Amino acid sequence: MNEDWFEVDKGELSPSETTLVNIVRESARGWPECPPGATAVLVFRADEEEDTRPPRDAYEAAWDEAFAAGQAVLTLIVDLRHRDRELVVMTLGATPAGDRLFCSERNASTYHPEPITGIESLEATGSREELGRIAADWFEEIVGRSMIEVDRRPWPRSFVPKGAPLPRGHRWVRNP
């Protein structure tokens, strides 16, 4: 079980990767309803990642460029959990590849980008420090949203503005 947010084995990341993860980790300590065990860092190396990449797009092209430069590709994962049940409601991911960052909702089993609930994806470029701050801000904005569901039905779930009244027939899932 994780003792800290986005925990990784010592020495597994390069100094620039460690800097990026540390920036996001520091931010995560203030996120509501996001315990350390709801976060992970996945590390992919060129020799490990032949058959499981997503379809050809800008995301995969960035992976190819990073691998060609001898760099690993990280994916920082946050599982948003239901407040009353240990159910993962949504999986979010931020993947820095080279000088690019891809933030999006992710498939909970493959961790590939997959638009499911309308979370707006984000693409950015910059230094590892800049990408760390961008990823931290993106995660924080989504993790802090209030989420509701219709009573006795697991779906649909939706976000509502903080402080909004609970609609009739709904209940809070996260961050009331």
Side-chain angles (χ1 to χ4, degrees):
M1 184 131 186
N2 289 347
E3 295 178 19
D4 201 0
W5 288 262
F6 302 101
E7 193 166 293
V8 292
D9 292 336
K10 188 173 177 119
E12 187 172 7
L13 303 178
S14 72
S16 68
E17 293 165 342
T18 300
T19 297
L20 185 145
V21 171
N22 284 340
I23 290 168
V24 179
R25 179 182 292 140
E26 286 303 314
S27 178
R29 290 187 169 118
W31 297 344
E33 297 188 45
C34 185
T39 67
V41 177
L42 309 175
V43 180
F44 301 95
R45 307 222 180 273
D47 58 339
E48 299 172 353
E49 192 53 31
E50 283 305 310
D51 298 324
T52 60
R53 285 192 245 156
R56 197 100 179 97
D57 56 14
Y59 174 76
E60 186 174 325
W63 282 59
D64 291 343
E65 291 167 17
F67 288 160
Q71 301 170 344
V73 175
L74 309 178
T75 296
L76 286 75
I77 296 293
V78 173
D79 284 331
L80 302 183
R81 297 178 190 262
H82 194 288
R83 128 178 256 123
D84 300 327
R85 301 175 246 161
E86 275 303 304
L87 172 70
V88 173
V89 176
M90 179 182 297
T91 298
L92 304 173
T95 302
D99 67 347
R100 298 178 71 188
L101 176 69
F102 301 87
C103 299
S104 62
E105 187 170 3
R106 302 298 171 103
N107 179 299
S109 59
T110 65
Y111 300 117
H112 292 161
E114 183 173 303
I116 300 169
T117 63
I119 294 293
E120 190 169 327
S121 298
L122 170 79
E123 288 187 33
T125 58
S127 70
R128 287 295 170 131
E129 294 83 11
E130 291 168 325
L131 297 181
R133 286 189 291 278
I134 292 166
D137 291 346
W138 184 83
F139 278 130
E140 184 171 6
E141 193 278 321
I142 297 167
V143 169
R145 293 179 185 179
S146 298
M147 185 179 283
I148 60 174
E149 69 182 1
V150 176
D151 281 338
R152 293 179 291 282
R153 283 191 248 152
W155 297 103
R157 294 192 174 100
S158 58
F159 291 112
V160 295
K162 281 274 190 201
L166 185 64
R168 186 167 185 240
H170 288 73
R171 64 186 200 145
W172 294 110
V173 173
R174 295 181 45 81
N175 304 326

